[in-house]
Amino acid sequence: MRLQHATWQEVEAYLARETGIIVPIGSTEQHGPNGLVGTDAICPETVAWEVGKRHGVLVAPTQNLGMAQHHLAFPGTISLRPSTLIAVLRDTVLSLSRHGFTHVFFLNGHGGNIATMSAAFAEVYAERSLQQAPGSELHLTTNNWFAGPRVRELAEALYSDAEGTHATASEVALSWFARPEAVKQVEMSPRIAPRGSAQCDADEFRRRFPDGRMGSDPSLASIEHGKRFFEASVDDVWEAYRTFSGRE
Amino acid sequence: MRLQHATWQEVEAYLARETGIIVPIGSTEQHGPNGLVGTDAICPETVAWEVGKRHGVLVAPTQNLGMAQHHLAFPGTISLRPSTLIAVLRDTVLSLSRHGFTHVFFLNGHGGNIATMSAAFAEVYAERSLQQAPGSELHLTTNNWFAGPRVRELAEALYSDAEGTHATASEVALSWFARPEAVKQVEMSPRIAPRGSAQCDADEFRRRFPDGRMGSDPSLASIEHGKRFFEASVDDVWEAYRTFSGRE
Amino acid sequence: MRLQHATWQEVEAYLARETGIIVPIGSTEQHGPNGLVGTDAICPETVAWEVGKRHGVLVAPTQNLGMAQHHLAFPGTISLRPSTLIAVLRDTVLSLSRHGFTHVFFLNGHGGNIATMSAAFAEVYAERSLQQAPGSELHLTTNNWFAGPRVRELAEALYSDAEGTHATASEVALSWFARPEAVKQVEMSPRIAPRGSAQCDADEFRRRFPDGRMGSDPSLASIEHGKRFFEASVDDVWEAYRTFSGRE
Amino acid sequence: MRLQHATWQEVEAYLARETGIIVPIGSTEQHGPNGLVGTDAICPETVAWEVGKRHGVLVAPTQNLGMAQHHLAFPGTISLRPSTLIAVLRDTVLSLSRHGFTHVFFLNGHGGNIATMSAAFAEVYAERSLQQAPGSELHLTTNNWFAGPRVRELAEALYSDAEGTHATASEVALSWFARPEAVKQVEMSPRIAPRGSAQCDADEFRRRFPDGRMGSDPSLASIEHGKRFFEASVDDVWEAYRTFSGRE
Amino acid sequence: MRLQHATWQEVEAYLARETGIIVPIGSTEQHGPNGLVGTDAICPETVAWEVGKRHGVLVAPTQNLGMAQHHLAFPGTISLRPSTLIAVLRDTVLSLSRHGFTHVFFLNGHGGNIATMSAAFAEVYAERSLQQAPGSELHLTTNNWFAGPRVRELAEALYSDAEGTHATASEVALSWFARPEAVKQVEMSPRIAPRGSAQCDADEFRRRFPDGRMGSDPSLASIEHGKRFFEASVDDVWEAYRTFSGRE
Amino acid sequence: MRLQHATWQEVEAYLARETGIIVPIGSTEQHGPNGLVGTDAICPETVAWEVGKRHGVLVAPTQNLGMAQHHLAFPGTISLRPSTLIAVLRDTVLSLSRHGFTHVFFLNGHGGNIATMSAAFAEVYAERSLQQAPGSELHLTTNNWFAGPRVRELAEALYSDAEGTHATASEVALSWFARPEAVKQVEMSPRIAPRGSAQCDADEFRRRFPDGRMGSDPSLASIEHGKRFFEASVDDVWEAYRTFSGRE
């Protein structure tokens, strides 16, 4: 059930029986020579919609922009500053909380968002804690589709060391499954990209990772692999959501 | 051409021949008894993708959240504060400007965004103007899909007084064309909703507009109307984009 | 009745019978070769004081600085960033609301302020809407003295196409009526200034509008015209204030 | 010479010979039973205009709102938060600095502004110091009209212990000289108001100072006294401005 | 070498030979029945000072306040909001960078700081990346004293499951070694505290963890253990600092 | 009694009998050729700990960073912007207030902090005053250890004109008493440093005060003097704290 496709009366009815919601969050950033700029948003969105459809969980619109400052030396990247992303997530959570949502499950597609998301949750809680306002029940969590147990196992089996940490083979595969019309066949050179830390500014990042990949060989990806990651992730996420929301 | 479906090398190639981009921006807010919460994002996104496809213009990911504070008393609405939206748009524009984009055309689906978008543009320009930094060429504009000449004429012809100003018949029609699976048949009572000002907080807004509509009878909408709004808007937008970007 | 000239006990007495207030807001920015830097503040202040005197409405001190970033390439302009003006208006409204004012009528003299003022009102309302605090009654509006029906008709009759959109003949006339000691006789070249958009930074604005005027020939202005604009505007504003505040 | 009454060409000509400017800054706050809400703005504005007239110094528009949070329990007070006032002063200084002003002399009428003004200057300087930008010459100072040597001597001679620290006899006298139409004759009870600290919130302030005065008996004020304060302050301020700006 | 004990000339001389610095960062928060409120600051400070002494590395003053909102229901806790801590770290890094420091090694004592520290680094880098300013060389890292390999091994050996995740036996031991005068003998009930997530507000945290401990039995701690943690951590940190700074 | 050395239960017990607390606040900034970068933090910390020990007052961890932007051209200085320091103090006060502390006594070691601290207190109070929230009892004060009567008398007696206003003989003496291991013997040239204003940016400050001292000859300082300043200040501060907190 997608929030964008519901009327407010349908949301009201949903809230009468369930107060959890899934919010896909990604990024708009380069993903190397054969990866899509939208990879990090497309992947969690695709998984979230399927979980929503199979299990009747409401799915909010995707947050397409994330914290991607280190990718800004590559054309097409759009980044929010951490302070901006904190404000966006704060307003999102306060809006949902006003309606009675108690469990907000952010399904994340970008490792670079994780720290800022955690800071954003703390910012929301700190407003309550500093003012001793009791506040209503509010549970917040970040779930990374790429870190679920079934997904990790599959990536290890398919790619081992060539999976990498940015523009990974697994995320390229899933994005191709979701957008078969956008598959690109590109040869990688070197086959496996250099490894290293992304904690730096954009110019330094591009010096370290000249074609944008980090430690990966995404030419191993395929639509068929993507389908398997899709199924693995839908199961991972549904399991995590059930535990988080306390739903049967 | 969708930015989400491109690699950074494809964006680089695009920038070598053209430096304009379309950014769809909407809102996540109630749209009355038969309108979708995602109406304001779905409409400009649908039009933008078609303009991009027909004319080869790059289209950024949709900004799904807007300034919708007055709708927060209806479940499902998610609003950014104006100050948050200003920060989001500032970071978006600075990111694009860094890559060499000179004409950023925001295709907007929500009247409530217009003032804040204008303030955001001024915030970006003010940073330049207060510091006497020359800055690179940067043109920003807001185009409202619902206000184009062909769209206005069609709405007048089809609905006249029943078009209204929120949850309008025309936007409901276009969103149904874009999402036929989400059409809802609901009787309106009263047939035409009350008119008035939306400049108030959420509780007051709901008192003034009990079912969320403002001055409209969206039960007049149909998928077939939506298709005509789609064609009208694609032409309106392409004309406006060409004038703005100086493209032939 | 001017707030600056009252004691707090007099304000208390006023609030017992009426809870509306007029707040003049302008800008400090170049107005071409014969217009005053203070035009946008002087005009609404002059009108507001007269409405206050004739009809017993309380008038707050004038907000002399507005959003004028695009004029900063001309000496004498002082601009607030939009985010700063939002903070000023928020604090102003919260202060007045605390005392029991329910209708705050901003009488504006600068087109460049309108969007930011609207964003500021939404920022105030959003704090209420996001936290579900009921809040006390609070109505906010922007009235532009230059856009009232009598003023528009008079400007059309006197200047037609030479009225323009910045450093207009009508505002120069009204400011001269208010400050006869500051009248300047300057020949305009070209007689009618170029037209165009002000949505750009300060350097670009000066390139587009070399002497600061936009589409106007303010050499047509006279003190006698100013007197007629004054009378027209006092009537326009009083009518608008009465409707807004629900006063007889 | 008032900035509000100049054209930008006149400001340009002024800057060719002198780069100092006076900015009156006050507050909008209760001043006891016979003092005006506008006292703190009216006093420095009146003095600044006279200094400007006698000595040809440019005078910017008055900042009518200051940091007056502790007075908010008295109707009519409008306060900016310190963070808002810092933003206003920052934008003011950056605007003036862009035009080539090198000496900004804030003529202040409100003790409660002093700390925040000093913090605002440091905020401007800190942006330069943290980024190692050389920046152009920029001197900022706060001058309190009520603290000049001639003014202090006169207040001591006229009122001694009854001068007080808020709603003082001297400022009431000067404001009456400036606004004879607004003189109020009110008996004070107790004759001399209680003394104490204003470092508290608004409710506590009103508990400490029930009629708004702090340590003063402003019923001693008169228009004739006001004229003497006016002359004393014009001399004090001119002397201070000359020293600050290095002008002959 | 402690920065607090140096003159600026000594810092200048240091920078001629080395451009790395260690910044201890902790928190001020409850640590259960026998742990000190200052534990998280005392531990990294103690280790940093020793590394500085043994190896001649400059050590900045300790950041005693961190992000501890979830502990605010226990008396004595002082927390910064994430947005405040981001501002503090940003200013710290910009100050150091201006002087020529290129490697800033934050030695952290509080798990709750990690996400916000990462967001703060990204905020600093984003300012560079969004404005395409080249910037000088700048490396930032967070090192958690409690997560070094020697420390982890020792904690496992000494406490196994009773180590816990807040008010851990190891940090209590180290703080006692550093402050023997503050050792407290308290019986724990239950012996091992409940486990769970700290991602919640302060009231909820206290409900989950009634005496403040998370999963630990810190009554196992001793000064003698603390001495062993001290030695282990000094070695862990020196190794990490050498790798980070590229020093021999 | 140091907060860092207490458990939360000990703080709880303290609050049952007394609700005042001392918060040392300093700066990290150059102090001339023989003064320590940490002088401004070390001095109030040392005094506060002794007052705490002798009289049983709780002492919070030291705020080691202050507003020192003007010293940033000297290596080793770390400065917060005023807006950052305001946020830090706001969060500190709100944290303490939540626990029931009613009297927060900031013991300050840096003149450059005073204005920003006052603005920070006003920011806290303004949030209450603008929202008409009653708030709990909250008294805030700044006490400057260097400005107590006994300290002033001693400095006059020992150094007269050579005391100066930055890197003063008295503060160097006290810091040496506190840190005898860090005493530096340096000849001063000129013997007494130039006097002047510190209201400028860092580069200008260094031009005005080439070795960092302002008007002082700190080579007169000695550990023995420091001991006398220590005793004088402990008495000054205890007297001031008793008056402030209403304690016997």
Side-chain angles (χ1 to χ4, degrees):
Chain A
M1 185 183 181
R2 289 176 55 184
L3 178 57
Q4 285 198 319
H5 295 182
T7 62
W8 69 261
Q9 291 91 341
E10 290 169 340
V11 178
E12 196 171 56
Y14 176 88
L15 279 162
R17 66 175 191 273
E18 177 158 357
T19 58
I21 189 168
I22 298 177
V23 184
I25 175 169
S27 184
T28 297
E29 61 183 50
Q30 67 84 16
H31 272 77
N34 74 348
L36 312 185
V37 166
T39 303
D40 288 351
I42 291 167
C43 291
E45 180 178 272
T46 302
V47 172
W49 289 355
E50 186 67 15
V51 171
K53 197 163 69 178
R54 289 193 195 167
H55 304 289
V57 184
L58 195 63
V59 179
T62 303
Q63 174 62 31
N64 288 309
L65 303 183
M67 210 302 293
Q69 65 83 20
H70 42 309
H71 296 294
L72 277 165
F74 293 94
T77 300
I78 303 177
S79 177
L80 302 182
R81 288 167 296 156
S83 53
T84 301
L85 185 53
I86 287 173
V88 167
L89 296 176
R90 172 190 175 276
D91 292 358
T92 299
V93 167
L94 292 186
S95 295
L96 293 171
S97 178
R98 173 179 168 135
H99 302 313
F101 289 98
T102 58
H103 291 74
V104 185
F105 182 97
F106 287 92
L107 184 56
N108 180 41
H110 175 45
N113 286 342
I114 298 172
T116 299
M117 294 172 72
S118 175
F121 299 167
E123 189 83 12
V124 170
Y125 288 130
E127 293 182 9
R128 299 173 167 223
S129 299
L130 280 170
Q131 295 165 5
Q132 216 163 359
S136 53
E137 190 187 355
L138 179 61
H139 305 268
L140 304 172
T141 201
T142 296
N143 184 276
N144 302 297
W145 80 265
F146 50 82
R150 292 168 187 79
V151 166
R152 279 299 86 209
E153 189 180 7
L154 182 59
E156 176 63 25
L158 291 175
Y159 311 125
S160 181
D161 275 8
E163 161 73 350
T165 57
H166 179 69
T168 62
S170 61
E171 66 186 347
V172 168
L174 177 51
S175 71
W176 285 357
F177 168 72
R179 300 285 192 280
E181 71 273 26
V183 171
K184 335 263 174 183
Q185 298 302 348
V186 184
E187 212 143 310
M188 299 292 148
S189 161
R191 200 179 63 78
I192 296 194
R195 305 177 194 284
S197 160
Q199 201 149 272
C200 55
D201 69 18
D203 291 330
E204 174 66 16
F205 184 93
R206 188 156 180 174
R207 274 190 292 275
R208 294 183 189 171
F209 309 103
D211 72 359
R213 295 174 297 142
M214 298 174 70
S216 68
D217 175 8
S219 68
L220 300 175
S222 69
I223 291 180
E224 187 272 338
H225 288 178
K227 183 168 172 27
R228 292 165 67 186
F229 282 110
F230 173 72
E231 290 297 341
S233 182
V234 167
D235 288 351
D236 282 344
V237 168
W238 170 235
E239 192 169 274
Y241 177 80
R242 269 197 309 177
T243 303
F244 171 67
S245 69
R247 209 171 101 155
E248 274 320 287
Chain B
M1 186 185 180
R2 289 175 56 183
L3 177 57
Q4 285 197 320
H5 294 182
T7 61
W8 68 262
Q9 291 91 341
E10 290 168 341
V11 178
E12 194 170 57
Y14 176 87
L15 279 163
R17 65 175 192 272
E18 178 158 357
T19 58
I21 189 168
I22 298 176
V23 184
I25 175 168
S27 185
T28 297
E29 61 183 50
Q30 67 83 17
H31 272 77
N34 74 346
L36 312 184
V37 166
T39 302
D40 288 351
I42 291 167
C43 289
E45 181 178 270
T46 303
V47 172
W49 288 356
E50 185 67 15
V51 171
K53 196 162 70 178
R54 288 192 195 168
H55 304 290
V57 184
L58 195 64
V59 179
T62 302
Q63 173 62 33
N64 287 311
L65 302 183
M67 209 303 293
Q69 67 82 21
H70 42 309
H71 296 294
L72 277 164
F74 294 94
T77 300
I78 303 176
S79 178
L80 302 182
R81 288 167 296 156
S83 53
T84 301
L85 186 53
I86 287 173
V88 168
L89 296 176
R90 172 191 175 277
D91 292 357
T92 299
V93 167
L94 292 185
S95 295
L96 293 171
S97 178
R98 174 179 168 137
H99 301 314
F101 289 98
T102 58
H103 290 74
V104 186
F105 182 95
F106 286 92
L107 184 56
N108 179 43
H110 175 44
N113 286 343
I114 298 173
T116 299
M117 293 173 73
S118 176
F121 298 167
E123 190 84 11
V124 170
Y125 287 130
E127 292 182 11
R128 298 173 167 223
S129 299
L130 280 170
Q131 296 166 6
Q132 217 163 0
S136 53
E137 191 187 353
L138 180 60
H139 305 268
L140 304 172
T141 201
T142 296
N143 184 276
N144 302 299
W145 80 265
F146 50 81
R150 292 168 187 79
V151 166
R152 278 302 88 209
E153 190 180 5
L154 182 59
E156 175 63 26
L158 291 175
Y159 310 124
S160 181
D161 275 8
E163 162 71 350
T165 57
H166 179 68
T168 62
S170 61
E171 65 185 349
V172 169
L174 177 51
S175 71
W176 285 357
F177 168 72
R179 299 285 192 278
E181 70 273 26
V183 171
K184 336 262 174 184
Q185 300 301 348
V186 183
E187 212 144 311
M188 298 293 148
S189 163
R191 200 180 63 79
I192 296 194
R195 304 177 195 283
S197 160
Q199 201 150 271
C200 55
D201 70 18
D203 291 329
E204 174 66 17
F205 183 93
R206 188 156 180 174
R207 276 191 290 275
R208 293 183 189 171
F209 309 103
D211 72 358
R213 295 174 298 142
M214 298 174 70
S216 68
D217 175 7
S219 68
L220 299 175
S222 70
I223 292 179
E224 187 273 338
H225 287 178
K227 183 170 170 29
R228 291 165 68 187
F229 281 110
F230 173 71
E231 290 296 341
S233 183
V234 167
D235 288 351
D236 282 344
V237 168
W238 171 235
E239 193 168 273
Y241 177 79
R242 269 197 310 177
T243 303
F244 170 67
S245 69
R247 209 171 104 156
E248 273 319 287
Chain C
M1 185 182 181
R2 290 174 54 184
L3 177 58
Q4 285 198 318
H5 295 182
T7 61
W8 69 261
Q9 293 89 343
E10 290 169 341
V11 178
E12 194 171 58
Y14 176 88
L15 279 162
R17 65 175 191 273
E18 178 160 357
T19 57
I21 190 169
I22 299 176
V23 184
I25 175 168
S27 185
T28 297
E29 61 182 51
Q30 68 84 17
H31 273 78
N34 74 347
L36 312 185
V37 165
T39 302
D40 288 350
I42 291 168
C43 290
E45 179 178 273
T46 303
V47 171
W49 289 357
E50 186 67 14
V51 171
K53 197 162 72 179
R54 289 192 195 167
H55 304 290
V57 184
L58 194 65
V59 179
T62 302
Q63 173 63 30
N64 287 309
L65 303 182
M67 210 304 291
Q69 66 81 20
H70 41 309
H71 296 293
L72 277 166
F74 294 95
T77 300
I78 303 176
S79 178
L80 302 182
R81 289 167 295 157
S83 53
T84 301
L85 185 52
I86 287 172
V88 168
L89 296 176
R90 172 190 176 276
D91 291 357
T92 299
V93 167
L94 292 185
S95 295
L96 293 170
S97 177
R98 175 181 166 135
H99 302 313
F101 289 99
T102 57
H103 290 75
V104 186
F105 182 97
F106 286 93
L107 184 56
N108 179 43
H110 175 45
N113 285 343
I114 298 172
T116 299
M117 294 172 72
S118 176
F121 299 167
E123 189 84 12
V124 170
Y125 287 130
E127 293 182 10
R128 298 173 168 223
S129 300
L130 280 170
Q131 295 165 4
Q132 213 162 358
S136 53
E137 189 187 355
L138 180 60
H139 304 269
L140 305 172
T141 201
T142 296
N143 185 275
N144 302 298
W145 80 264
F146 50 80
R150 292 168 187 80
V151 167
R152 279 300 87 208
E153 189 180 7
L154 182 59
E156 176 63 26
L158 291 176
Y159 311 124
S160 180
D161 275 7
E163 162 72 349
T165 56
H166 179 68
T168 62
S170 61
E171 67 185 347
V172 169
L174 177 52
S175 72
W176 285 357
F177 167 72
R179 299 286 193 279
E181 71 273 25
V183 171
K184 335 264 176 183
Q185 299 300 348
V186 183
E187 213 143 309
M188 298 294 148
S189 163
R191 199 180 63 78
I192 296 193
R195 304 177 195 284
S197 160
Q199 201 148 275
C200 55
D201 69 19
D203 291 330
E204 174 67 16
F205 183 94
R206 188 155 180 176
R207 274 192 292 275
R208 293 183 188 171
F209 310 103
D211 72 0
R213 296 174 297 142
M214 298 173 69
S216 68
D217 175 8
S219 68
L220 300 175
S222 70
I223 292 180
E224 188 273 337
H225 288 178
K227 185 170 171 26
R228 292 165 67 187
F229 280 110
F230 173 71
E231 289 297 341
S233 182
V234 168
D235 289 351
D236 281 344
V237 168
W238 171 236
E239 194 169 271
Y241 178 79
R242 270 197 310 178
T243 303
F244 171 67
S245 69
R247 208 171 103 155
E248 274 318 287
Chain D
M1 184 182 180
R2 290 175 54 184
L3 177 57
Q4 285 198 320
H5 295 181
T7 61
W8 68 261
Q9 291 92 342
E10 290 168 342
V11 178
E12 192 171 58
Y14 175 88
L15 279 163
R17 65 175 191 273
E18 180 160 355
T19 57
I21 189 168
I22 298 176
V23 184
I25 174 168
S27 184
T28 296
E29 61 182 53
Q30 68 83 15
H31 272 78
N34 73 348
L36 313 184
V37 166
T39 302
D40 288 351
I42 291 167
C43 290
E45 180 178 272
T46 303
V47 171
W49 288 357
E50 185 67 15
V51 171
K53 195 161 73 179
R54 287 192 196 169
H55 304 290
V57 184
L58 195 64
V59 180
T62 303
Q63 173 62 32
N64 287 309
L65 302 183
M67 209 305 291
Q69 66 81 20
H70 42 309
H71 297 293
L72 277 166
F74 294 95
T77 299
I78 302 176
S79 178
L80 302 182
R81 289 167 295 155
S83 53
T84 301
L85 185 52
I86 287 172
V88 168
L89 296 176
R90 172 190 175 277
D91 292 357
T92 299
V93 167
L94 293 186
S95 295
L96 293 170
S97 177
R98 172 177 170 138
H99 302 314
F101 289 99
T102 57
H103 290 74
V104 186
F105 183 96
F106 286 92
L107 185 56
N108 178 42
H110 175 44
N113 286 342
I114 298 172
T116 299
M117 294 173 71
S118 176
F121 299 167
E123 188 84 11
V124 170
Y125 288 130
E127 293 182 9
R128 298 174 167 222
S129 299
L130 280 170
Q131 296 166 4
Q132 215 162 359
S136 53
E137 190 186 353
L138 180 59
H139 305 268
L140 304 172
T141 201
T142 296
N143 185 277
N144 302 299
W145 81 264
F146 51 81
R150 292 168 187 79
V151 166
R152 279 299 88 210
E153 189 180 8
L154 183 59
E156 175 62 27
L158 291 176
Y159 311 124
S160 182
D161 275 8
E163 162 72 348
T165 56
H166 180 69
T168 63
S170 61
E171 65 185 349
V172 168
L174 177 51
S175 71
W176 285 357
F177 167 72
R179 300 287 193 277
E181 71 273 27
V183 171
K184 336 261 174 183
Q185 300 300 350
V186 183
E187 214 143 309
M188 298 294 149
S189 163
R191 198 178 64 77
I192 296 194
R195 304 178 195 285
S197 160
Q199 201 149 271
C200 55
D201 70 17
D203 291 329
E204 174 67 15
F205 183 94
R206 188 156 180 175
R207 274 192 291 275
R208 294 181 189 173
F209 310 103
D211 71 0
R213 295 174 298 142
M214 299 173 69
S216 69
D217 175 8
S219 68
L220 300 174
S222 70
I223 292 180
E224 187 273 336
H225 287 178
K227 184 169 171 29
R228 292 165 68 187
F229 281 110
F230 173 71
E231 289 296 341
S233 182
V234 167
D235 288 352
D236 281 344
V237 168
W238 171 234
E239 195 169 273
Y241 177 79
R242 270 197 310 176
T243 302
F244 171 66
S245 69
R247 207 172 105 157
E248 273 316 288
Chain E
M1 185 183 181
R2 290 177 52 184
L3 177 58
Q4 285 198 319
H5 294 182
T7 62
W8 68 261
Q9 291 92 341
E10 291 169 341
V11 178
E12 194 170 57
Y14 176 88
L15 279 162
R17 65 174 191 274
E18 179 159 355
T19 57
I21 189 168
I22 298 176
V23 184
I25 175 168
S27 184
T28 296
E29 62 183 51
Q30 67 84 16
H31 272 77
N34 73 347
L36 313 184
V37 166
T39 303
D40 288 349
I42 291 167
C43 290
E45 180 178 271
T46 302
V47 172
W49 289 356
E50 186 67 14
V51 171
K53 197 161 70 179
R54 288 192 196 168
H55 303 289
V57 184
L58 195 64
V59 179
T62 302
Q63 174 61 31
N64 288 309
L65 303 183
M67 210 303 292
Q69 66 82 21
H70 42 309
H71 296 294
L72 277 165
F74 294 95
T77 300
I78 303 177
S79 178
L80 302 182
R81 287 167 296 157
S83 52
T84 300
L85 186 53
I86 288 173
V88 167
L89 296 177
R90 173 191 175 275
D91 292 358
T92 299
V93 167
L94 292 186
S95 294
L96 293 170
S97 178
R98 172 177 170 137
H99 302 314
F101 289 99
T102 58
H103 291 75
V104 186
F105 182 97
F106 287 91
L107 184 56
N108 179 43
H110 175 44
N113 286 342
I114 298 172
T116 299
M117 295 173 72
S118 176
F121 299 167
E123 188 84 13
V124 170
Y125 287 131
E127 293 182 11
R128 298 172 169 223
S129 299
L130 280 170
Q131 295 166 6
Q132 214 163 2
S136 52
E137 190 186 354
L138 180 60
H139 305 269
L140 304 171
T141 201
T142 295
N143 184 277
N144 302 299
W145 81 263
F146 51 81
R150 292 167 186 80
V151 167
R152 279 299 87 209
E153 189 180 6
L154 183 59
E156 175 63 25
L158 291 175
Y159 311 125
S160 181
D161 275 7
E163 161 72 349
T165 57
H166 178 70
T168 63
S170 61
E171 66 185 348
V172 169
L174 177 51
S175 72
W176 285 357
F177 167 72
R179 301 285 193 278
E181 71 274 26
V183 171
K184 336 261 173 185
Q185 300 299 351
V186 183
E187 213 143 309
M188 299 293 148
S189 162
R191 201 178 63 78
I192 296 194
R195 304 177 195 283
S197 160
Q199 201 149 273
C200 56
D201 70 18
D203 291 329
E204 174 66 16
F205 183 94
R206 189 157 179 174
R207 274 192 292 275
R208 294 182 189 171
F209 309 103
D211 72 359
R213 296 174 297 141
M214 299 174 69
S216 68
D217 174 8
S219 68
L220 301 174
S222 69
I223 292 180
E224 189 272 339
H225 287 178
K227 184 170 170 27
R228 291 166 68 189
F229 281 110
F230 172 72
E231 290 298 339
S233 182
V234 167
D235 289 350
D236 281 343
V237 167
W238 170 236
E239 194 170 272
Y241 176 80
R242 268 198 310 179
T243 303
F244 171 67
S245 70
R247 211 172 102 157
E248 275 315 289
Chain F
M1 185 184 181
R2 289 175 55 183
L3 177 57
Q4 284 197 319
H5 295 181
T7 61
W8 70 261
Q9 292 90 341
E10 290 169 341
V11 178
E12 194 171 58
Y14 176 88
L15 279 162
R17 65 176 191 272
E18 179 160 354
T19 57
I21 189 169
I22 299 177
V23 184
I25 174 169
S27 185
T28 297
E29 61 182 51
Q30 68 83 16
H31 272 77
N34 73 347
L36 312 185
V37 166
T39 303
D40 288 351
I42 291 167
C43 290
E45 180 178 271
T46 302
V47 172
W49 288 356
E50 185 68 16
V51 171
K53 197 163 71 180
R54 289 192 195 168
H55 304 290
V57 184
L58 194 64
V59 179
T62 302
Q63 173 61 32
N64 287 309
L65 303 183
M67 209 304 292
Q69 66 81 21
H70 42 309
H71 296 293
L72 277 165
F74 294 95
T77 300
I78 303 176
S79 178
L80 301 183
R81 289 166 295 155
S83 52
T84 301
L85 186 52
I86 287 173
V88 168
L89 296 176
R90 172 191 175 276
D91 292 357
T92 299
V93 167
L94 292 186
S95 295
L96 293 170
S97 178
R98 173 178 169 137
H99 302 313
F101 289 99
T102 58
H103 291 73
V104 185
F105 182 96
F106 286 92
L107 184 56
N108 179 42
H110 174 44
N113 285 343
I114 299 172
T116 300
M117 293 172 72
S118 176
F121 299 167
E123 189 83 12
V124 171
Y125 288 130
E127 293 182 10
R128 298 173 168 224
S129 299
L130 280 170
Q131 295 164 8
Q132 215 163 355
S136 53
E137 190 186 354
L138 180 60
H139 304 269
L140 305 171
T141 200
T142 297
N143 186 275
N144 302 299
W145 79 265
F146 51 81
R150 293 168 186 80
V151 166
R152 278 301 86 210
E153 188 180 7
L154 182 59
E156 176 62 26
L158 291 176
Y159 310 125
S160 180
D161 275 9
E163 161 72 349
T165 57
H166 179 69
T168 64
S170 60
E171 66 185 347
V172 169
L174 177 52
S175 72
W176 286 357
F177 167 72
R179 299 286 192 278
E181 71 274 26
V183 171
K184 334 265 175 181
Q185 299 300 348
V186 183
E187 212 144 307
M188 299 293 149
S189 164
R191 200 178 64 78
I192 296 195
R195 303 177 195 285
S197 161
Q199 200 149 274
C200 55
D201 70 20
D203 291 330
E204 174 67 16
F205 184 93
R206 188 156 180 175
R207 275 190 292 274
R208 293 182 189 171
F209 310 103
D211 72 359
R213 296 174 296 143
M214 298 174 69
S216 69
D217 175 9
S219 69
L220 301 174
S222 70
I223 292 180
E224 187 273 337
H225 288 178
K227 185 172 171 28
R228 292 166 67 187
F229 281 110
F230 173 72
E231 289 297 341
S233 182
V234 167
D235 288 352
D236 282 345
V237 168
W238 170 235
E239 194 169 273
Y241 178 80
R242 270 198 308 179
T243 303
F244 171 67
S245 69
R247 208 171 102 154
E248 273 316 288

